[in-house]
Amino acid sequence: MIVEGCTRCLRLIDESLELPTRLPESMSVRFRIGTAIADACKKVGYDGDVGYQTFLYSNVADVRRVFMFLMERLPRGTSDSDETGGSGAHVHHKLASTLALQRARVWTPLFCKKKGLITLDDGSFAWEANQGVCPHKAVTVTAPTGLAELGKRTDKNLRHYYQHHMQLITAQPRERHQVAASLLERSSMEVTASAEWEHEWNTTGLPSRLTEQEYRQRKRERLHKRLTDSIRTSVQASGTSALLKGSLADLLDSFTT
């Protein structure tokens, strides 16, 4: 409906524009059509932020601004055409009345509207450009690591697990709508970790004159020692030092080996 409305308004403003009123199934064609409509809006003078995402992933505020601009740019009919219901005047009045009703309606959150369905003042129903909206909930997903590193051999058992037992990353979330959110979350964590390591290496690692492997090893040893000392101190402070004579002592010793 949004694409059709914008296209028809643009055709009335500039008759030389040839834009489709329906979006096909192909996503690549959808992107091209959305970009073409955005370019047409800029061509007729719209100076706001508009792109293919304005029409494919509609935001109520952005779409409203586009329609208000197009409505103002519609050709003005003469008094005779207004009285006889000329096409331009009819569309202008229809858009004006629809937008006025939307502005007067009390805003309600998404969870109060089942699948974006709203009831209009005249008793009819309409969709409010939020179909398919779902919570952005991410879950932990895992993927094989170390397979792309040249010169590094992967453990045979680990490779067997990757090939025969590990689920595809798209099958790990319980709900299908969680796949995109989970992949975005994992990707952002990897990018953040990479940026933090690069900053640490440039500020601390390089001045130490150690190789990257040696620096990582020393950092690991420092963390293990700090963890071991913290556990020993906590156990001794609790008065259960006898626990250090057994499996706990072996565990602490394993941290430093």
Side-chain angles (χ1 to χ4, degrees):
M1 293 177 63
I2 295 174
V3 171
E4 182 179 2
C6 288
T7 300
R8 294 189 183 278
C9 289
L10 289 168
R11 286 178 178 177
L12 291 173
I13 297 171
D14 187 348
E15 296 181 356
S16 64
L17 295 174
E18 296 182 0
L19 300 170
T21 58
R22 294 286 189 274
L23 290 177
E25 296 294 333
S26 174
M27 286 304 299
S28 60
V29 180
R30 283 174 174 240
F31 286 133
R32 288 199 295 269
I33 294 176
T35 303
I37 297 176
D39 293 340
C41 291
K42 295 178 181 178
K43 180 181 178 181
V44 297
Y46 184 72
D47 57 358
D49 186 14
V50 63
Y52 68 87
Q53 70 279 356
T54 306
F55 308 101
L56 299 186
Y57 312 105
S58 305
N59 177 279
V60 176
D62 293 340
V63 173
R64 182 175 297 170
R65 282 193 290 266
V66 172
F67 270 113
M68 289 295 291
F69 168 78
L70 295 177
M71 183 182 66
E72 293 175 356
R73 294 301 302 273
L74 286 174
R76 305 293 180 179
T78 61
S79 58
D80 294 337
S81 63
D82 290 342
E83 294 176 358
T84 57
S87 59
H90 176 74
V91 173
H92 181 276
H93 293 312
K94 184 66 176 179
L95 285 173
S97 59
T98 302
L99 292 173
L101 288 174
Q102 289 187 358
R103 293 183 64 182
R105 188 180 299 119
V106 177
W107 178 86
T108 53
L110 296 180
F111 58 81
C112 293
K113 295 173 285 192
K114 186 176 181 181
K115 296 182 179 180
L117 187 65
I118 60 173
T119 305
L120 302 179
D121 296 337
D122 58 0
S124 60
F125 297 92
W127 297 102
E128 203 172 63
N130 53 13
Q131 303 179 51
V133 175
C134 58
H136 186 89
K137 183 178 180 180
V139 298
T140 301
V141 292
T142 57
T145 57
L147 299 180
E149 298 181 17
L150 299 177
K152 182 178 179 180
R153 299 184 61 181
T154 305
D155 182 76
K156 181 180 179 180
N157 294 329
L158 184 60
R159 185 181 292 274
H160 178 79
Y161 169 74
Y162 286 158
Q163 293 177 348
H164 301 284
H165 300 286
M166 190 176 191
Q167 286 184 315
L168 294 175
I169 198 169
T170 54
Q172 294 177 24
R174 296 182 58 184
E175 303 293 339
R176 186 175 181 181
H177 65 265
Q178 296 176 346
V179 174
S182 302
L183 292 177
L184 289 173
E185 182 74 13
R186 177 182 172 85
S187 177
S188 63
M189 291 176 62
E190 291 178 349
V191 171
T192 302
S194 177
E196 290 179 350
W197 164 250
E198 183 177 359
H199 175 73
E200 179 181 352
W201 176 249
N202 292 332
T203 57
T204 309
L206 289 177
S208 68
R209 298 184 180 276
L210 298 174
T211 64
E212 184 175 335
Q213 184 177 2
E214 292 173 345
Y215 179 82
R216 289 181 182 272
Q217 180 63 27
R218 288 197 178 184
K219 181 179 179 181
R220 188 179 299 109
E221 292 174 355
R222 289 196 302 268
L223 291 175
H224 286 174
K225 186 177 184 304
R226 185 179 302 175
L227 178 60
T228 303
D229 294 342
S230 177
I231 295 176
R232 289 183 186 275
T233 303
S234 299
V235 171
Q236 292 174 354
S238 63
T240 56
S241 57
L243 291 175
L244 294 176
K245 301 179 180 179
S247 58
L248 181 58
D250 297 336
L251 176 63
L252 295 178
D253 292 338
S254 67
F255 286 160
T256 57
T257 58

